[in-house]
Amino acid sequence: MPMTSKALVARLDPRRPWFAEVDRTALRHDLLAGLTNATVVLPQGIAFAIIAGLPPRYGLYTAIVVTLVAAFWGSSRVMVSGPTTAISAVLFATLGALALPGSAEYVALALTLTLMVGALQLAAGLLGAGAIIAFISHSVIIGFTAAAALLIAATQLAPALGLPTQGGDALQRLTGTFSALPDIAPLALSISIGTLAVLLGLGRLDRRIPAYMIALAGAGLLGWAVDAEARGIAMFAPLGVITPAFRAPDLDLAMVMTMIPGAVAIAFVGLLEAISIGRAFAIRREERYDADQEMVGQGLSNMIGSLFQCYAGSGSFTRSGLNAESGARTPLAAIFAAGFLLVLLVLVAPLVRYIPVPAMAAIILHVAWRLVDLAEIRHIIATSRTETVILLATFGTGVISELTFAIMVGAFASLAAFLYQSARPIVAVGAPVTEPGGRRAFANAHLHGLDQCPQISMTRLEGPLFFASVEHVERELRRIDARDGAKTRILSLKGTGKIDLAGADFILKEARRARRMGLGFLLIAANPDIIDVLRRLGVLDALGARNVHAHKSDAIREAVAQARDTVCARCSLRVYHECAGKPGPPAPRAATVRAPASFVQGGTP
């Protein structure tokens, strides 16, 4: 929901809450973490800019300005923002058809697109849209990143092998590269394999080792030793100006309209990445996390970054994990990383022209491989059919179509699955059982074949009771009545988090139906919000105080009191303790089961 003016000012206030956490110890830890991070992002920034189709220096600008602003105004204490693989791939997919990658026109479009992305993200944060991201399945980002990894690998495979760069989509690039395999340059292949070997070897030792820089340095020395440039190996061009300068994006209306779909996709992907990473580290470190503030931070970082020659960035899981492992305490670590990177650029920039292109291509291939979360993909496929469909829909669309469209398909599939599941809440009948140890609980009567009271149906609803779910709930109740016979119903709403007008009307409809049949209808509701809704919509007055209870035992007591003695006199089940006061034969021994947690409701029947 929209922010109040006071909350809006708090979101944008440069006096951040984490200022109070900075002390001498935190400062020392943040300095060391920042230095470690800067050594990692220097080659990463170059690699990600290449993926985005931009000259390498733009990735470094992004790693300075976007990192600094996002750390300052974001919510996470340890997340580091900057250029990322996924966003770089989407930016390339968005602009590749509009201008020649690397050209001045392409750069201008990238800066304009970044401003659009930042404006969308900032608006979403100020409107309080952070909760909406929670409705998008994690499978969307998993499938999307796998498709992006395939596109990245397809673009870098040819340079790694010393072959001419191929055009087209991922499949066309791969096909073109494989058809040119007889022309592989052996020296390029050797440099690529050597670079990958160094990366993999150092990665096994310690993540804090600047493996990318060491691998590139080794490749540069090898290229110098064998005079690679003279033997036909492409080398990197000098970085040129290494400090970002102010440059207002070109806001051509026609081009802005053309790039809107791409801006929406990049803004969406960036927020998904940042919020997922920030929330994960906040939970791990037991820190407070504000998704809306993070959206504001990401939006400001991209808007301000677009004015200083940066392209769109977001949270980086690799750099954030390294930041946390290096002992970062506050966002100052990311700010220090941006400062140290600027210093490193002054020292290292002249040496970039000695780096062989196959070495950087190998690094990007390594990045693409690490982008694919095989363990999570296997987990999704093994545990959820719905999430598997979402993942495959996103991945498949990204491979055969555009990455921007893949995000839209994944988001739509995710929301459709959420709405479908919300409209089909669990409706189950419980029967009292005695678990090992003497604990009394309710378990699914039909699942375990438990005896039920012939006059009372203890029915529980797990999920929202709103306009989209009413039809499903009514259908399930009629199915229960057809199977068990019409009875006095105790409807437990303890697992119901939302009731709207249609849900309230449905409850009243069920109560009137029960009364026409000479049966009782009782509610169990303890959630203050639900009770307030029922009161405002007139449900409590219509049912009467004796038919609405906060506790299961009170509802059972009332239902048993309303039960017909003539039926109780012939019943030998004595399902509830309260049955002891009714006429009839003595109670048999209670059933003892171990019911699954998903079907058990605690309480004393």
Side-chain angles (χ1 to χ4, degrees):
M1 57 186 298
M3 300 279 169
T4 63
S5 58
K6 183 177 180 180
L8 188 146
V9 170
R11 297 283 187 211
L12 301 175
D13 192 341
R15 296 170 299 178
R16 307 311 305 154
W18 55 267
F19 286 178
E21 302 174 19
V22 178
D23 55 22
R24 183 173 298 179
T25 302
L27 197 62
R28 184 175 66 254
H29 283 278
D30 289 342
L31 275 169
L32 292 175
L35 179 59
T36 304
N37 230 284
T39 61
V40 169
V41 76
L42 194 152
Q44 273 191 354
I46 295 174
F48 294 161
I50 294 170
I51 292 172
L54 292 164
R57 65 179 182 274
Y58 289 94
L60 299 173
Y61 297 160
T62 304
I64 295 172
V65 180
V66 169
T67 299
L68 191 152
V69 178
F72 199 85
W73 269 284
S75 178
S76 176
R77 294 295 185 266
V78 296
M79 187 179 74
V80 181
S81 295
T84 70
T85 322
I87 288 184
S88 300
V90 182
L91 188 140
F92 176 78
T94 301
L95 301 181
L98 301 178
L100 179 66
S103 65
E105 182 184 2
Y106 187 94
V107 171
L109 291 178
L111 300 183
T112 302
L113 182 62
T114 299
L115 179 63
M116 296 167 62
V117 168
L120 289 171
Q121 293 175 330
L122 178 61
L126 294 179
L127 291 173
I132 296 176
I133 298 297
F135 291 104
I136 306 302
S137 169
H138 180 60
S139 301
V140 174
I141 201 67
I142 295 296
F144 165 78
T145 51
L150 182 61
L151 175 62
I152 293 166
T155 61
Q156 297 302 312
L157 189 58
L161 300 176
L163 299 173
T165 302
Q166 306 293 325
D169 59 27
L171 296 180
Q172 291 171 334
R173 288 172 182 270
L174 289 174
T175 301
T177 300
F178 288 139
S179 65
L181 286 180
D183 300 325
I184 285 178
L187 180 56
L189 179 61
S190 300
I191 292 173
S192 299
I193 292 175
T195 303
L196 284 173
V198 172
L199 279 178
L200 295 174
L202 294 178
R204 291 178 177 273
L205 296 178
D206 192 331
R207 287 184 62 189
R208 290 171 291 186
I209 295 176
Y212 291 130
M213 288 195 69
I214 294 174
L216 287 178
L221 288 173
L222 175 61
W224 172 79
V226 301
D227 199 6
E229 188 172 9
R231 297 173 62 179
I233 300 300
M235 309 296 284
F236 262 91
L239 286 180
V241 180
I242 59 174
T243 54
F246 180 84
R247 175 182 173 182
D250 181 15
L251 297 178
D252 178 78
L253 182 60
M255 194 56 70
V256 166
M257 297 301 294
T258 302
M259 294 191 296
I260 284 178
V264 172
I266 293 174
F268 185 69
V269 172
L271 293 179
L272 270 179
E273 283 189 318
I275 292 176
S276 299
I277 294 169
R279 183 174 287 132
F281 279 103
I283 292 173
R284 187 182 306 175
R285 293 163 60 94
E286 299 182 354
E287 295 172 342
R288 182 179 177 274
Y289 186 74
D290 185 339
D292 290 325
Q293 183 63 50
E294 191 62 62
M295 294 169 80
V296 169
Q298 293 297 317
L300 285 174
S301 69
N302 283 318
M303 289 186 71
I304 295 174
S306 70
L307 303 176
F308 291 91
Q309 301 177 283
C310 303
Y311 75 93
S314 182
S316 166
F317 191 83
T318 301
R319 292 181 65 198
S320 301
L322 179 62
N323 199 39
E325 290 178 9
S326 301
R329 300 288 183 87
T330 75
L332 268 182
I335 294 172
F336 284 141
F340 282 131
L341 175 59
L342 190 58
V343 174
L344 285 174
L345 277 177
V346 174
L347 300 175
V348 176
L351 304 177
V352 170
R353 63 189 182 91
Y354 296 106
I355 298 176
V357 168
M360 183 59 71
I363 282 181
I364 297 174
L365 287 172
H366 180 261
V367 169
W369 171 252
R370 288 175 58 87
L371 201 60
V372 182
D373 194 340
L374 292 176
E376 185 63 18
I377 291 173
R378 286 194 294 266
H379 174 71
I380 290 172
I381 293 174
T383 57
S384 174
R385 183 178 302 175
T386 300
E387 295 298 320
T388 299
V389 171
I390 294 172
L391 186 151
L392 293 177
T394 307
F395 175 75
T397 305
V399 171
I400 65 177
S401 183
E402 298 179 358
L403 290 177
T404 53
F405 186 52
I407 279 292
M408 304 304 176
V409 169
F412 177 80
S414 182
L415 288 172
F418 169 76
L419 292 174
Y420 177 79
Q421 292 167 354
S422 297
R424 298 175 64 84
I426 296 173
V427 182
V429 176
V433 297
T434 301
E435 290 191 303
R439 179 179 180 269
R440 297 282 286 174
F442 276 87
N444 190 305
H446 301 109
L447 182 67
H448 298 286
L450 301 173
D451 293 325
Q452 298 183 56
C453 173
Q455 297 192 75
I456 301 172
S457 176
M458 173 62 75
T459 310
R460 87 178 192 277
L461 178 64
E462 295 285 345
L465 184 60
F466 68 125
F467 67 92
S469 66
V470 164
E471 183 178 346
H472 168 76
V473 175
E474 183 174 21
R475 185 167 55 248
E476 290 300 301
L477 291 183
R478 297 295 78 82
R479 185 176 298 160
I480 291 171
D481 290 345
R483 181 174 51 200
D484 301 339
K487 305 176 182 180
T488 289
R489 171 161 281 118
I490 301 175
L491 181 62
S492 175
L493 302 178
K494 286 189 173 181
T496 302
K498 173 182 174 58
I499 296 179
D500 66 359
L501 181 59
D505 289 342
F506 171 74
I507 293 175
L508 295 177
K509 175 184 173 183
E510 287 295 301
R512 289 192 294 268
R513 179 179 183 276
R515 288 169 182 171
R516 285 196 302 269
M517 299 174 66
L519 302 171
F521 184 86
L522 300 90
L523 287 183
I524 301 175
N527 187 322
D529 293 334
I530 294 296
I531 294 173
D532 182 60
V533 171
L534 295 176
R535 180 180 294 108
R536 285 191 292 104
L537 297 178
V539 175
L540 299 187
D541 290 338
L543 292 183
R546 64 179 296 191
N547 293 317
V548 181
H549 303 275
H551 303 288
K552 190 186 291 98
S553 56
D554 295 336
I556 294 172
R557 188 177 302 110
E558 176 61 29
V560 171
Q562 296 178 19
R564 287 173 289 178
D565 289 349
T566 54
V567 177
C568 292
R570 300 191 301 270
C571 177
S572 61
L573 295 177
R574 289 299 188 265
V575 172
Y576 304 109
H577 289 321
E578 289 76 6
C579 294
K582 304 291 277 189
R589 185 172 181 177
T592 301
V593 300
R594 170 69 70 180
S598 58
F599 289 94
V600 172
Q601 296 181 356
T604 303

